[in-house]
Amino acid sequence: MRAVRLSVTTAIATAAALAAVTGCTEKGSSAGGDRVVNVTATDDKCEVSKKEFPAGHVELAIENKGSKVTEVYILFPDDRIVTERENIGPGTKQTVTAEVKAGDYTIACKPGMKGDGIRQTVKATGKGTVAKRDPRLDKAVAAYREYVQEQADETLPPAETFTKAVKDGDLEAAKKAYAPSRIGWERTEPVAESFGDDIDPKVDLREDGLKGDQKWTGWHRLEKALWQDKKIGAEEKALADQLITDLKEWQNRVGKAEITPTSMANGAKELLDEVATGKVTGEEERYSHTDLVDFKANVEGAQKAYDLLKPVAKENEPALVTELDKQFAALDTLLDKYRADGAKTDQYDFISYDKVGEGDRKELSDGVNALAEPLSKLAAAVVTK
């Protein structure tokens, strides 16, 4: 969940590690060009080099000159997300490639990864369409749209099993059903997040991400009740019904999400950021310690997007594809070490994450970072001519 996933101190340490391993300090595209927008983020400013650019592929060359880890977004006027890049550490640079149609947008920087951000209104100019796309990429988008719909459809039955156990007051059955109910969501979370605050905060918010008098609902509210409070009361049973209502909204809307080849590629990177800032740290599933299940699902979702884009990326950047294949395989092998009792029959049968020591967590973090670096280049690879 993209709200507040970690403390600022942890975020700075994580982002510094990402910068060191992933090359986030590489020079941005400061040479300019009609399609390059230089974004300079500080703790109290979000400066852009131009307010207008041609519709099509736009490149954000981001530099964080502040003291806090930041996020940068391109948003539709209604706050739906076009693309985002999280965990941009102080003193580092990142480049993000996105596809935009003609129209008005907002570029937002979020120092400390909190709040609505510091915003600049920008405009993509043109006739309302983007540049002609490789037909293989249109097929990739269509296949990915089908995949995310399947994941939403397939999430409802295990979610209903979970919520039924909650409503029955069966604590142990609810605990058992909790992690499996989240797999489809974790595989496709960037698509759900693209709807802005309409769905994601309702179902996947952690307590430290609450704003003002916002009511805490969703999986993690129930997670706390099951593992920490060890009780199921009337409120929890009502929240179980609300979770299904919200997941059905996601199911009904996911097929209408804005999806482009670059949003698929950037979404794959976002899933790795989810792992780096939530799962590896143990903060996502802080009560249930089922982080490795989420970890596996995040990586699977990232690989699905990559596999669909791979034919074009391989033609444009063969060395990048070779590295991505290597790092995906290495991370899968690493995850296999943490299966419960060496289990191979259930790919989600992992040990409790509180049993994973600091040294092993560091190894997992290194594996994630080794994949995140080349994955951050995938969006640019699929638009290279």
Side-chain angles (χ1 to χ4, degrees), residues 101-280:
K101 296 179 181 179
D104 295 325
Y105 297 89
T106 297
I107 293 177
C109 306
K110 294 188 179 183
M113 303 193 294
K114 295 181 180 180
D116 294 329
I118 305 162
R119 299 182 170 214
Q120 295 278 6
T121 300
V122 297
K123 180 186 289 290
T125 59
K127 297 180 179 180
T129 58
V130 297
K132 187 175 180 180
R133 189 187 285 163
D134 187 317
R136 292 174 296 176
L137 294 178
D138 287 325
K139 290 181 180 179
V141 168
Y144 189 68
R145 189 179 298 280
E146 182 178 346
Y147 171 73
V148 296
Q149 185 66 63
E150 286 175 352
Q151 294 305 305
D153 294 344
E154 292 172 6
T155 293
L156 262 294
E160 287 169 343
T161 297
F162 168 61
T163 56
K164 182 180 184 301
V166 172
K167 291 166 66 178
D168 288 345
D170 191 335
L171 194 70
E172 292 307 314
K175 285 183 176 181
K176 184 177 180 181
Y178 171 76
S181 76
R182 291 175 49 75
I183 291 170
W185 173 272
E186 290 291 339
R187 285 172 175 161
T188 60
E189 191 168 358
V191 177
E193 290 182 348
S194 73
F195 295 117
D197 288 341
D198 289 352
I199 297 175
D200 183 73
K202 297 178 182 178
V203 304
D204 199 33
L205 191 66
R206 296 210 320 256
E207 189 172 16
D208 50 4
L210 293 171
K211 299 177 182 179
D213 59 356
Q214 179 182 2
K215 183 180 179 181
W216 189 19
T217 61
W219 271 302
H220 294 305
R221 167 63 180 82
L222 293 169
E223 178 202 7
K224 183 180 181 183
L226 297 174
W227 273 273
Q228 178 166 295
D229 302 337
K230 297 180 172 59
K231 71 177 184 66
I232 299 173
E235 182 181 1
E236 285 74 29
K237 293 177 182 181
L239 287 170
D241 283 332
Q242 184 62 49
L243 176 61
I244 295 300
T245 297
D246 293 335
L247 289 175
K248 285 181 177 178
E249 182 183 358
W250 166 53
Q251 180 188 32
N252 290 334
R253 292 182 60 186
V254 71
K256 303 179 183 69
E258 294 275 350
I259 298 175
T260 65
T262 55
S263 75
M264 289 169 59
N266 290 328
K269 173 62 166 61
E270 290 164 31
L271 284 168
L272 266 290
D273 288 343
E274 290 281 340
V275 175
T277 61
K279 282 67 175 185
V280 168

